[in-house]
Amino acid sequence: MTYVIAQPCVDVQDKACIEECPVDCIYEGPRMLYIHPEECVDCGACEPVCPVEAVFYEDDLPQQWAPFGPAAAEVFEEIGSPGGASASGPLAGDHPVIAGPAPASA
Ligand code: F3S
Ligand code: F3S
């Protein structure tokens, strides 16, 4: 079990969570951020600081966002476990779970 970022992060990317994570396991994608499920130490520090309540303990993910659990593992299949988000840089792409129309531009 681990913590998971879900739909509310998409196109918001507040990044307050990054500041709290003691193990630097929150990785940035083009439209949302992802918690590395193997690097997260389940400390819970990221969950209360997200202004849009996008972070959930995996067991507590709302039903409609359940796919974000497996998505957070799948998005790291290619790069494995880099051991730190700041050193590895942003992810090349987002997981298809968030695929959908981009928000209308202003
Ligand atoms: Fe996203 Fe919330 Fe972090 S919006 S980047 S999960 S603080
Ligand atoms: Fe990091 Fe702790 Fe969240 S390890 S991803 S701040 S639960």
Side-chain angles (χ1 to χ4, degrees), residues 1 6 15 17-18 20 22 24 27-28 34 36 39 41 43 52-53 56 64 71 82 84 87-88 95 102-103 106:
M1 284 298 143
K15 299 185 191 171
C17 54
I18 288 179
E20 299 301 322
D24 191 24
Y27 292 70
E28 186 173 356
Y34 303 85
H36 197 301
E39 296 177 2
V41 296
C43 70
V52 293
E53 297 183 21
F56 298 88
Q64 75 269 31
S88 74
H95 189 278

Side-chain angles (χ1 to χ4, degrees), residues 1-3 37 40-42 57-59:
M1 284 298 143
T2 181
Y3 280 76
C40 174
V41 296
D42 292 0
Y57 187 60
E58 190 172 3
D59 274 352

Side-chain angles (χ1 to χ4, degrees), residues 2-106:
T2 181
Y3 280 76
V4 175
I5 297 176
Q7 181 72 33
C9 180
V10 177
D11 298 322
V12 175
Q13 301 181 303
D14 180 85
K15 299 185 191 171
C17 54
I18 288 179
E19 304 297 321
E20 299 301 322
C21 183
V23 295
D24 191 24
C25 71
I26 306 179
Y27 292 70
E28 186 173 356
R31 292 180 62 195
M32 70 170 284
L33 279 74
Y34 303 85
I35 294 172
H36 197 301
E38 289 164 22
E39 296 177 2
C40 174
V41 296
D42 292 0
C43 70
C46 54
E47 188 265 329
V49 300
C50 176
V52 293
E53 297 183 21
V55 187
F56 298 88
Y57 187 60
E58 190 172 3
D59 274 352
D60 298 331
L61 264 176
Q63 184 64 32
Q64 75 269 31
W65 296 327
F68 282 84
E74 291 164 13
V75 80
F76 293 106
E77 275 175 1
E78 277 187 24
I79 63 168
S81 183
S86 52
S88 74
L91 300 173
D94 282 299
H95 189 278
V97 73
I98 71 157
S105 52

